[in-house]
Amino acid sequence: MRMLNRKLARDVMGLAGPLLAVAMVAVSGIALFVTLRSMRGFLSDSQANYYRDYHFADVFVLVKRAPASVARRIAAIPGVRVVEPRIVFEAVLDVPGLAEPAVGRFVSIPASGEPLLNVPHVRVGRMPAPGAPREVLISEAFAQANKLVPGDSLGAVLNGRWERVHVVGVAISPEYIYEMQGGELFPDNRLFGVIWTPRALLASATGLETGFNAMALQLAPDASEPDVIDALDRVLEPYGALGAYGRSEHVSHKFLTDEIEQNNVGAVIMPAILLGVTAFLLNVVLSRLVATQRGQIALLKAFGYTNREIGTHYLLLALTPVAAGAVVGVPLGFRLAEATAGIYARYYRFPVATVRPDWEVALAACLIAAGAAVAGAAIAVRAAVRLPPAEGMRPPAPAWFEAGLLEKLGVQRWLAPSARIVVRNTARRPLRAVAAVTGIALAFAMLVVSRFSFSAIDRIKNVQFQYVQREDISVTFREAAPRTAIDALRRLPGVLAVEPLRIVPVALRHGTVERRTALIALPAGAELRQIVDQDLRVHRVPASGVLLTTKLAEVLHVAPGDSLTVELREGTRRTARVAVSAVANEMLGTTAYADLEFAARLTGERRAISGALLAVDPRREGELYLTLKDQPALVGIGIRSAALAGFERTVADSFQLMLSIAVIFAVIIAFGVVYNGARVSLSERSRELASLRVLGFSKREVTMMVFGEQILLTVAGMAVGVGVGYGLCAFVSSVGNTELFRIPLVVSWASYGFAAAVIVGAFGASGLAMRQRIRALDIVECLKTGE
């Protein structure tokens, strides 16, 4: 073994503690990079492969009723490659073992038995036989939530007619990777599922034996989607089309795409912080090592070792903890990626949910970590390379002392001698102090961001289920009904109060910008459904005009006082100019609200409602559920308690592992920064501390001098971390500002308190590790150092 290699081994052993702390941070950074980048590849590749292999459609449209012959006209539109006419509608289900009424979205399978687009992937069982109209496939999430298997049967109210269908298979589809009931923003797989059934059953139930009410299109590679949508709308307008839309507006696709984009941001920010701290720690450790090995470096050069060899030696020393971090971090990252993929598989359904080790990602992580190590060690290596042998053999020049700001102000008069030493020692190395403060601030900020994510989810949940959705049950009618329909609902068992609701699909247009959404009409003074912004302010629907969510107003480039064009997509299909009366910064969706009477004037359908909100006596819920299962006029039933449970199961719980990982990594950063700072300080000042012991300072006073400096830097780091953490939370909130969700900027004192507690805990742990070293300080050995 060459001499420099033996020296490298000795240096690594001598710096085991500090290098281990660096290695732990490097493990965290590499593992997080591998995990998040693997997730990005997993989600993107799974989405692309699934869409391609199972022919996910490019354009979708719903119509009231269209004859089959229209499909041929649509197929002739330039750019259209495949046309799939379908029958799609929702119906109330009676699921065995389920007290609540569920809702199923029935999707027809063509007579051939082989869909051309959005092809279901059968997980268990088989496709329904073409000659067996009551055989169905059910979606996997729904089947798992209700423990349904092939051989079970379901009751369904199909267009007012009670039918029993038999499950022959369980499937997933690229159209329902994220499976949600219409109008809902959180999945509830227990009460909502997709059911594929032969066309004959649905045609018979809806009277569409020779027609369709939905269509999916696949476009040619060079087709213009907007042109095809315009042509499609013109062809289907006489048949009650609700407006065609492209894949980008498909709910399942939007959820998945937003998730991929947010994952991309996280895959850059979090590893960058961790690897930045790795570079900082290596800078501290290597700078101190080079300073204490001046004599060794000079001797090596005197014996003929070149600058390149000495520089390489210290670079290898810097790369050693990173290499150890790669050895542990890469497999840990792959393992975490598998666990995270399992979480995604709970609510994103892919045919293959296995993450394969991506060695290109692993190599990139190692190279980036190595780059961070080289960057962190650069200053120290440069100092070692540029050190002349003659100068290196002399003791280093005494540190330059001069009166600092506190001394010029006379503050030192009120400080004890030990406190003056702490302040002076900190002020003598301003760059190191700034670096230490930065490292602690980043650790503090990571902890704040981790807690912020929990707080934001809690805020969304509480606002949505305590302030916005105050009804116990919401029901949707098959057809718009007169106001008298709510009288029948009031007579149902256990119903305490009923408020009408009108939901109209509309296209809102301002200038060249158009957005398809729903106009939700509420009665003035509505209590069961409220419009609540992020600051918990309740907004009432205006007497005239519309109230938009802030995000929708932003998309349409409108503000209160502006007017926009409202194009009704059902009923009279009127087009009108409507004033924007107000905006509300809601956290979910892009919705327009209006007063119920104003909406009636707008649609020309006075007193028509499409659903209702119910307050229910909890003691009679079971009786009410049984009654609702047999209501032929209903196609949708939403239960707030079930939606809340579904949210907690599928969304909140899914964040637990990922956020817990972030917290653990932040704790590692905090410990690494604080421990290395104290360790290096002790190594540099051992002679000074021994001298103070000889002069009569007690062990306690000497210990406090070492920790006093670390306390000062830690407090400063936490103070800076408050601002950095808030800034990072604001950035995460802005990145999460999508049309589906707005992440509220909720940074509570509890988040700061949590971060401070962890940093103090890390400080305490490192203090315990260092306390014994200080107490065991060999005064005689320390004072032997030659001048």
Side-chain angles (χ1 to χ4, degrees), residues 77-343:
I77 294 174
V80 174
R81 187 160 72 177
V82 180
V83 172
E84 180 90 288
R86 305 187 295 177
I87 301 173
V88 178
F89 69 90
E90 294 184 357
V92 177
L93 300 177
D94 182 13
V95 180
L98 186 63
E100 301 97 327
V103 174
R105 179 170 300 162
F106 285 78
V107 180
S108 66
I109 298 173
S112 65
E114 298 291 337
L116 300 175
L117 301 177
N118 308 319
V119 179
H121 169 78
V122 179
R123 295 275 207 188
V124 179
R126 59 174 175 81
M127 290 287 287
R134 286 173 179 74
E135 290 186 348
V136 299
L137 282 177
I138 60 175
S139 56
E140 184 182 57
F142 182 63
Q144 290 177 348
N146 291 291
K147 297 181 174 54
L148 295 172
V149 295
D152 291 336
S153 59
L154 307 170
V157 182
L158 298 180
N159 209 16
R161 193 172 71 194
W162 175 263
E163 296 282 356
R164 180 157 293 280
V165 295
H166 306 288
V167 179
V168 296
V170 175
I172 58 175
S173 163
E175 191 177 4
Y176 298 103
I177 293 176
Y178 195 77
E179 196 173 304
M180 284 194 313
Q181 187 176 356
E184 300 291 338
L185 284 167
F186 302 113
D188 183 356
N189 300 131
R190 205 169 60 94
L191 297 185
F192 177 77
V194 181
I195 299 174
W196 294 269
T197 186
R199 175 186 170 81
L201 176 65
L202 302 184
S204 170
T206 59
L208 286 169
E209 286 84 356
T210 59
F212 61 90
N213 70 354
M215 178 170 278
L217 307 179
Q218 187 180 62
L219 306 183
D222 58 346
S224 167
E225 182 181 289
D227 291 346
V228 171
I229 288 176
D230 287 343
L232 186 60
D233 283 341
R234 286 195 296 273
V235 172
L236 291 176
E237 187 174 1
Y239 306 103
L242 300 183
Y245 57 94
R247 183 185 288 179
S248 61
E249 293 188 52
H250 191 278
V251 172
S252 173
H253 175 79
K254 287 176 76 171
F255 266 94
L256 183 54
T257 303
D258 284 352
E259 182 66 39
I260 293 172
E261 290 176 357
Q262 291 179 19
N263 194 281
N264 288 342
V265 175
V268 173
I269 294 177
M270 303 297 276
I273 291 176
L274 287 158
L275 294 176
V277 174
T278 302
F280 151 71
L281 293 177
L282 282 171
N283 174 269
V284 172
V285 174
L286 265 294
S287 296
R288 177 255 167 189
L289 184 68
V290 169
T292 56
Q293 291 188 349
R294 288 167 52 87
Q296 295 179 27
I297 295 170
L299 281 173
L300 289 171
K301 290 187 176 181
F303 279 105
Y305 285 92
T306 64
N307 287 335
R308 184 175 62 81
E309 290 173 316
I310 292 173
T312 302
H313 164 71
Y314 284 105
L315 278 178
L316 288 175
L317 184 59
L319 290 171
T320 299
V322 173
V327 170
V328 178
V330 169
L332 177 62
F334 288 148
R335 184 69 190 88
L336 290 176
E338 288 180 14
T340 308
I343 293 173

Side-chain angles (χ1 to χ4, degrees), residues 619-649:
R619 294 169 298 183
R620 303 187 67 185
E621 279 182 348
E623 190 180 350
L624 178 61
Y625 292 156
L626 286 175
T627 306
L628 291 176
K629 287 180 179 179
D630 291 329
Q631 296 295 313
L634 303 182
V635 293
I637 299 173
I639 300 173
R640 186 185 58 166
S641 58
L644 174 58
F647 172 83
E648 291 176 338
R649 278 196 306 271

Side-chain angles (χ1 to χ4, degrees), residues 22-23 25-31 33-34 271-272 274-280 282 315 318-327 329-330 361-377:
V22 176
V25 179
V27 166
S28 305
I30 292 170
F33 183 89
V34 171
L274 287 158
L275 294 176
V277 174
T278 302
F280 151 71
L282 282 171
L315 278 178
L319 290 171
T320 299
V322 173
V327 170
V330 169
V361 169
L363 179 62
C366 295
L367 291 176
I368 293 171
V374 171

